[in-house]
Amino acid sequence: MSSKQKLDIINRLILCSKYIDMGNFHMFPLAKFMESMRLMLATNKTVIRAAAIRCLRYLSISRMSIEDMIRLKVDLLLVKSIEREPKNETERAQALKYVRQCVDCDADLLPRSFVQSIVAVADNPEDPYRDS
């Protein structure tokens, strides 16, 4: 499957995920979507990884979905995205937005790895996201 096809599929999932809300999220197999996005986070294309993180952000709307993310160890892949070089700005921005989504959804479930990555970003005086 080409990168363009993968990106198209992810964008379609993003469109679908916008229709999922707290009232009907239990009708969708969110864990299956997250498993698919986890595979996309392991690709070597920055655009694909950024789109996958964006899709995960739209899917993380409940405590249960964040628990699924932690169970699938997606947080470790997201930490890699946060800690990448600043030239991967889109991917890093999406990963940081995902962390913010997790805090907004249920801060009690925030993985320690996220907190450590945010502290590392804040401690680096050369990081463009330091003051964000």
Side-chain angles (χ1 to χ4, degrees):
M1 184 180 295
S2 73
S3 294
K4 187 174 179 172
Q5 290 172 321
K6 288 178 184 177
L7 191 58
D8 185 47
I9 290 169
I10 293 170
N11 285 331
R12 287 182 190 178
L13 274 174
I14 289 170
L15 286 174
C16 291
S17 67
K18 288 181 180 181
Y19 295 105
I20 300 172
D21 61 20
M22 291 304 290
N24 62 6
F25 78 93
H26 61 277
M27 297 179 349
F28 296 94
L30 295 180
K32 292 292 184 190
F33 287 134
M34 287 186 176
E35 286 176 21
S36 299
M37 291 303 104
R38 183 179 64 178
L39 293 174
M40 297 296 165
L41 288 174
T43 188
N44 60 355
K45 301 284 185 185
T46 303
V47 176
I48 302 292
R49 290 191 308 259
I53 296 168
R54 183 171 172 231
C55 185
L56 284 169
R57 184 167 45 107
Y58 285 117
L59 293 173
S60 296
I61 57 171
S62 69
R63 181 178 181 89
M64 188 173 70
S65 59
I66 301 221
E67 288 171 346
D68 286 341
M69 178 268 302
I70 293 168
R71 183 180 52 78
L72 293 169
K73 306 220 184 298
V74 172
D75 58 316
L76 301 177
L77 294 168
L78 291 168
V79 165
K80 277 182 70 173
S81 294
I82 293 170
E83 296 178 358
R84 288 193 190 278
E85 296 178 21
K87 69 179 183 176
N88 297 326
E89 188 173 332
T90 306
E91 179 182 356
R92 291 184 80 217
Q94 289 298 327
L96 290 168
K97 286 179 181 180
Y98 183 85
V99 172
R100 184 179 64 209
Q101 173 68 20
C102 289
V103 169
D104 291 344
C105 187
D106 193 342
D108 292 338
L109 288 176
L110 195 67
R112 184 178 181 151
S113 57
F114 282 176
V115 175
Q116 290 171 331
S117 290
I118 298 300
V119 169
V121 167
D123 281 346
N124 184 358
E126 297 175 9
D127 197 301
Y129 291 108
R130 179 180 184 191
D131 297 325
S132 298

